[in-house]
Amino acid sequence: GPHLMDPKQFHRRLEVLLDRASGPGGVKAFAERLMPALLEEFGPAFGISYAKLYRLREGSPSHVKSWGEHAHVEKTVTALFRHAAHEGSLPELPWADRTPEGTLALLPLGGDGWMMALGFDGGGPEISAASALAVASPIAHAAAEHLRRRELEDLLEQARAIQMSLLPPTPAFGDFDIAAVTLPASVVGGDVYDMQKLDAETLAISVADASGHGLPAALQARDVVTGLRMGAERDLKITRVIERLNRVIYQSGLTSRFVSLVFGELELNGTFAYINAGHPPPLLLTDAGLHELSVGGGLLGPQPDVLYKLGFAHVDRGAALLLYTDGALERGTTAGHAFGIERLGAWLTAWRDGPAREALDDLVKRLRDHGDDAPFEDDITLVFVRRPRQA
């Protein structure tokens, strides 16, 4: 009978099958990978003897492909639909009924007229329509969810491409040596950096990280940077711009969206005026040692009336500054050992004499190795600014 598997085990195995069936192509390609696997995995336990794929066109199903020992149910399926169409009501899917050839379940497969039929003959006691549906419905539901998620992931991939295309080129600025990189995690995240010359003497640098993943976080981060850009270009008091930005995010009603941010203005003489809004502190290495730039205020978003303070640092000749997002600190956490700020400091000490691009390549390699090459848990954004000893 169809009860040789507990529900938890059933769902776990179903998830595995769906993941394996993922891949290129549309619903048909997905079904062609899924159906034979379903039969193999669940056939014996539930008495499923065949699976079929149909596409509904103008109210009648056309048969696309079959798997397994299929009794001649073509006629049954077609007759069923003819009868339903004649009655003016196509069966509400998922639907199951006893037929002369065993019990037949019909299920929608991810919209657009695709359907699958599962045949139960049990090879023993007859399987009721209700038992067949109890097995078939969760399969159809999980497959639909899976297809929907895949569609979203494709959209996110496109979003990711847009996001990457918006990252600015690294500007030439005085005698500074500057490099930046964003390493995306598997899903679009909320990391972003921006660099722009405000005038011949000043370079604005920002690194932001919006909580959460996916498109909303990415768009939120992008909006923050755009807002900063506008404020900085109009030469507004930067503390005011950030306080206003905080209110805007607070009022946006996206309560799950908090944004951490470092915004700074670097001058040709090395002065760096900055605000740190709840972000991991940038590291500045000078001859006097390692400094954490943590002046500013809380995260953007949670509270409307936060006041922000301006911090000041100086990038002397021979000094190096690293801005980063917490993805770098937390790399390897799932394996039980976070990369952490000490390792970042050690890397900065080793590479303070650059060159910036090679230095970042090395840090990226260290971060990858640290997680035993596992995919990144979170986006990682790095901006490295160094000032050579000799101009």
Side-chain angles (χ1 to χ4, degrees):
H3 296 293
L4 308 181
M5 208 180 291
D6 74 282
K8 214 155 156 193
Q9 189 189 11
F10 172 63
H11 283 286
R12 259 205 306 271
R13 282 160 76 170
L14 184 53
E15 273 308 309
V16 171
L17 291 191
L18 290 168
D19 281 336
R20 277 202 216 123
S22 269
V27 175
K28 181 169 183 277
F30 173 73
E32 285 176 341
R33 290 184 290 260
L34 177 65
M35 304 292 236
L38 271 181
L39 274 183
E40 197 180 322
E41 182 77 19
F42 295 140
F46 295 122
I48 305 173
S49 53
Y50 62 83
K52 288 167 162 302
L53 181 64
Y54 292 93
R55 184 100 190 250
L56 200 53
R57 297 185 189 282
E58 282 132 35
S60 71
S62 62
H63 173 245
V64 182
K65 198 161 178 181
S66 295
W67 296 265
E69 305 282 322
H70 42 99
H72 304 286
V73 295
E74 245 40 88
K75 286 196 188 72
T76 308
V77 173
T78 316
L80 164 77
F81 267 83
R82 274 220 192 90
H83 174 71
H86 184 68
E87 297 286 316
S89 66
L90 285 179
E92 277 291 309
L93 300 182
W95 170 96
D97 207 353
R98 303 249 343 115
T99 75
E101 297 89 12
T103 302
L104 176 72
L106 262 184
L107 314 145
L109 186 63
D112 209 17
W114 289 100
M115 300 183 309
M116 63 174 172
L118 294 180
F120 295 78
D121 59 13
E126 291 193 342
I127 287 168
S128 71
S131 318
L133 268 187
V135 174
S137 291
I139 292 177
H141 182 72
E145 278 296 296
H146 191 84
L147 286 165
R148 233 197 327 276
R149 200 165 60 232
R150 246 195 38 206
E151 223 171 286
L152 265 178
E153 278 161 11
D154 291 347
L155 279 176
L156 290 181
E157 274 313 302
Q158 293 163 27
R160 159 72 69 208
I162 293 168
Q163 195 186 6
M164 297 316 259
S165 75
L166 288 167
L167 294 173
T170 308
F173 184 66
D175 60 356
F176 291 90
D177 179 14
I178 302 174
V181 65
T182 285
L183 310 167
S186 53
V187 251
V188 180
D191 268 26
V192 69
Y193 69 81
D194 196 38
M195 281 185 256
Q196 51 157 347
K197 276 176 149 162
L198 298 178
D199 53 44
E201 302 280 306
T202 322
L203 178 70
I205 301 172
S206 52
V207 171
D209 182 2
S211 71
H213 283 297
L215 209 45
L219 294 175
Q220 182 90 3
R222 172 57 42 205
D223 287 350
V224 164
V225 165
T226 313
L228 284 171
R229 235 181 211 203
M230 284 156 53
E233 277 166 359
R234 299 201 347 243
D235 205 19
L236 300 169
K237 257 202 150 12
I238 205 63
T239 47
R240 295 294 154 282
V241 172
I242 287 181
E243 281 160 13
R244 203 163 79 220
L245 203 55
N246 176 54
R247 277 198 300 280
V248 169
I249 294 169
Y250 174 80
Q251 285 154 4
S252 71
L254 295 165
T255 42
S256 65
R257 303 274 157 233
F258 303 142
V259 181
S260 73
L261 165 79
V262 172
F263 175 86
E265 293 183 355
L266 179 66
E267 292 176 19
L268 281 179
N269 63 14
T271 301
F272 186 59
Y274 72 91
I275 289 177
N276 182 334
H279 196 80
L283 296 177
L284 175 64
L285 181 65
T286 66
D287 291 337
L290 203 56
H291 316 275
E292 295 188 7
L293 308 188
S294 51
V295 177
L299 281 173
L300 301 175
Q303 313 253 288
D305 307 320
V306 186
L307 298 177
Y308 290 89
K309 281 217 288 284
L310 203 54
F312 289 93
H314 199 80
V315 186
D316 300 309
R317 298 199 180 286
L321 170 69
L322 176 72
L323 298 89
Y324 55 94
T325 52
D326 58 11
L329 294 181
E330 289 162 15
R331 171 62 171 160
T333 312
T334 43
H337 49 285
F339 192 79
I341 205 158
E342 286 74 23
R343 283 190 185 83
L344 276 184
W347 168 83
L348 193 55
T349 308
W351 280 93
R352 71 186 279 188
D353 295 318
R357 186 72 263 159
E358 281 167 43
L360 276 195
D361 289 345
D362 175 69
L363 179 52
V364 167
K365 188 184 174 316
R366 290 187 195 200
L367 286 165
R368 279 195 201 288
D369 293 348
H370 185 76
D372 305 325
D373 271 340
F376 289 121
E377 299 87 339
D378 191 5
D379 286 9
I380 297 177
T381 293
L382 308 164
V383 177
F384 185 41
V385 178
R386 49 176 293 274
R387 195 171 178 201
R389 292 182 186 279
Q390 263 75 46

